[in-house]
Amino acid sequence: MSTPLDPNQIETIQAYDAEKRYQYLVKEVVANREIWILTDEHGCVMLNTDDEDCVPVWPNKEFAESWATGDWDNCKAEAISLNKWHSRWTYGLEDDELAVVIFPNQDEDGLVVFPDELDFELKQQAKKQGQR
């Protein structure tokens, strides 16, 4: 379980460029053993790019909740354990031909990666941190 972030940390991290937010997400997800999505009554919230249908993911509850406004104000931030992400989500997203948008900011800017790429990065980070 992660430690809540203070407003200064949130502001600083949200100002990161897409690549730096990706690196931050990978480290946080592995350290906290959870990744965050938004859900509504239909399931996981989706974003669309020109080329891909994507599931947005965030490293911390605060960032996911900051997206639950406007059209998405009925959405709830939901944590997925890292083990469940590896065992179910990566394959499920691949089977559904969905990509992952990494830690989108308020301008809807975020790196789009394939589920197996994110899975690989998370596993590499876990090795660096001495986890399995």
Side-chain angles (χ1 to χ4, degrees):
M1 178 93 176
S2 59
T3 306
L5 299 172
D6 73 49
N8 290 339
Q9 288 173 300
I10 292 170
E11 192 174 322
T12 299
I13 295 162
Q14 283 181 326
Y16 291 173
D17 65 22
E19 181 63 39
K20 195 167 179 182
R21 286 196 317 278
Y22 185 26
Q23 293 167 2
Y24 175 82
L25 176 131
V26 168
K27 287 179 183 168
E28 281 291 290
V29 166
V30 171
N32 297 321
R33 311 277 310 147
E34 61 189 12
I35 191 166
W36 290 86
I37 61 168
L38 282 179
T39 60
D40 63 15
E41 68 273 11
H42 305 292
C44 184
V45 167
M46 306 280 289
L47 290 176
N48 307 89
T49 68
D50 293 340
D51 304 318
E52 306 286 345
D53 291 332
C54 305
V55 173
V57 296
W58 291 272
N60 311 90
K61 182 178 184 178
E62 293 87 345
F63 296 116
E65 286 179 340
S66 73
W67 265 70
T69 61
D71 291 344
W72 294 9
D73 64 358
N74 63 333
C75 295
K76 302 271 182 272
E78 184 177 317
I80 298 169
S81 74
L82 190 53
N83 289 342
K84 188 186 281 187
W85 184 266
H86 288 314
S87 67
R88 294 233 256 347
W89 277 76
T90 298
Y91 303 110
L93 292 170
E94 286 177 328
D95 287 348
D96 293 339
E97 297 183 8
L98 298 172
V100 180
V101 62
I102 303 294
F103 192 177
N105 63 14
Q106 296 305 317
D107 300 326
E108 297 187 15
D109 176 40
L111 290 180
V112 175
V113 300
F114 292 106
D116 60 331
E117 292 175 84
L118 176 57
D119 207 56
F120 176 80
E121 290 297 327
L122 292 169
K123 287 176 179 172
Q124 291 298 105
Q125 182 64 32
K127 283 180 190 171
K128 283 185 196 170
Q129 292 184 9
Q131 298 177 14
R132 286 189 303 155

